[in-house]
Amino acid sequence: MSLTMAPRNLSLRIVAVAAFLLVLNGCVNLDDAAGLSKLSDEARIALPRVSNDVAGTCARQNTLFENTPSAERPPTAQAQDCKPYQEIAGHLAKDENVLADYFDALGKLASNEPMGYNATVDANVTATGANSSLSANTMAAGNDAQSILKSLADAVTRGYREKQLGQLMEQNDPAIQSLTRALKKVITVDYALLLSNEELSMDNFYKGPMASAQPNERLTLILVQRQYAHDKVAMQSRKDDIAAYSKIMDDTAALHSKLKQEATRKASIVEIAKQVRPLVLSLNAALSDIQSRSN
């Protein structure tokens, strides 16, 4: 009779064996302890899927507007200018990538792998008249990202390696905490307001014609009801993405604080892995959650 080991138990044993071997070799490697490079790769995929919709919601609202008969629109109503929102989405994607680069760099510094970062984050953000706080919060995130990026470039230039990890994290912790707060605010407050406006427009777009449908239009009504239900499900999915994004930013800030704390007291890889494991698992779950809704 053969026995199969549960995937979770097998994973835990693999991690334990790897940690034991690393301790024998006298190596403290943050990438092995926390899987920073893998987290970074997942973040580069998942986070822009949320922030890119800052522009997406503007485009969808314009579609609703353009498909509403002019007689049913307010006299002064007009389509939105989506260009500022597209620019902001681009800025947010760059900021998120800097955050991913930073954690990837922590892993590479610990393992002495080559690394290089020479990108820049534009300082200016075009103001959006409809939501001034969106522009302000995006600029705040960009300033923090630029500070982190400069620190990474300095680390490359000066040849930082494992012994400088604690110093690098100590230096960047204020910017990491500020960047994650700013990104969280953009998505959970500003983008959430855009979605709320879109949902109101969507409800108005569908409910009036559905209520006034004639008996001989029942087949058309069924199709419209199905499309409305589909759009409501998609809207709820975007709201769920906001909740996951918020958790990712909170967990990322907490992970950096914990890594900085453990590096400062020169903890072993076993202790580091033990301390950060709940946060890493939580981050993996939230990142996977976003990706699952995008597929």
Side-chain angles (χ1 to χ4, degrees):
M1 178 178 66
S2 62
L3 297 176
T4 58
M5 188 179 299
R8 179 178 176 83
N9 291 335
L10 178 58
S11 176
L12 290 173
R13 292 196 179 188
I14 291 173
V15 170
V17 171
F20 176 71
L21 293 174
L22 286 164
V23 170
L24 288 181
N25 293 330
C27 174
V28 177
N29 188 319
L30 289 184
D31 209 20
D32 289 307
L36 298 182
S37 292
K38 185 176 186 301
L39 281 175
S40 298
D41 290 342
E42 295 296 323
R44 287 190 185 94
I45 297 171
L47 297 182
R49 291 183 175 176
V50 182
S51 59
N52 283 347
D53 201 54
V54 167
T57 183
C58 179
R60 289 191 299 274
Q61 289 183 69
N62 278 351
T63 298
L64 293 173
F65 177 83
E66 291 161 2
N67 284 279
T68 300
S70 57
E72 297 178 16
R73 303 174 192 163
T76 59
Q78 57 184 355
Q80 299 182 56
D81 178 9
C82 291
K83 186 175 180 180
Y85 296 100
Q86 292 165 355
E87 181 182 323
I88 285 173
H91 274 268
L92 294 173
K94 289 181 180 179
D95 297 339
E96 292 159 349
N97 196 57
V98 169
L99 192 62
D101 280 348
Y102 175 78
F103 279 90
D104 185 45
L106 293 183
K108 288 181 177 177
L109 284 168
S111 63
N112 289 331
E113 291 183 18
M115 65 176 197
Y117 303 96
N118 53 16
T120 59
V121 178
D122 297 332
N124 298 321
V125 175
T126 303
T128 58
N131 193 334
S132 58
S133 69
L134 175 61
S135 305
N137 291 329
T138 301
M139 286 186 66
N143 291 334
D144 293 324
Q146 188 65 57
S147 173
I148 295 167
L149 199 58
K150 183 180 183 302
S151 176
L152 287 179
D154 289 344
V156 173
T157 301
R158 298 177 185 178
Y160 273 36
R161 284 305 176 220
E162 184 180 339
K163 292 181 180 179
Q164 285 83 29
L165 274 173
Q167 178 184 341
L168 186 66
M169 285 189 281
E170 188 77 34
Q171 173 187 343
N172 283 289
D173 191 59
I176 291 293
Q177 302 301 321
S178 181
L179 175 57
T180 51
R181 283 195 302 269
L183 288 173
K184 176 182 175 180
K185 192 171 183 180
V186 168
I187 298 303
T188 63
V189 178
D190 302 320
Y191 168 60
L193 178 59
L194 295 177
L195 278 187
S196 178
N197 292 337
E198 180 189 347
E199 186 167 30
L200 179 61
S201 298
M202 182 199 310
D203 290 341
N204 291 335
F205 179 81
Y206 281 106
K207 286 183 177 179
M210 286 166 57
S212 61
Q214 300 301 310
N216 63 342
E217 299 174 321
R218 69 181 188 281
L219 294 181
T220 301
L221 176 60
I222 290 172
L223 293 176
V224 173
Q225 288 172 333
R226 287 178 177 174
Q227 183 61 47
Y228 181 40
H230 176 272
D231 288 351
K232 292 291 279 188
V233 169
M235 176 61 66
Q236 184 57 53
S237 177
R238 295 182 184 102
K239 292 179 180 179
D240 292 341
D241 281 345
I242 289 177
Y245 193 102
S246 175
K247 185 167 184 55
I248 289 167
M249 291 301 122
D250 287 343
D251 286 348
T252 298
L255 175 61
H256 191 266
S257 291
K258 182 63 70 175
L259 288 171
K260 182 193 72 170
Q261 175 186 332
E262 296 304 312
T264 300
R265 69 186 190 91
K266 302 187 188 315
S268 68
I269 188 174
V270 173
E271 184 60 26
I272 294 174
K274 177 182 176 182
Q275 292 295 325
V276 305
R277 179 172 172 75
L279 289 169
V280 171
L281 290 175
S282 180
L283 276 165
N284 276 321
L287 290 166
S288 297
D289 191 29
I290 291 174
Q291 292 192 52
S292 68
R293 281 190 292 273
S294 301
N295 295 332

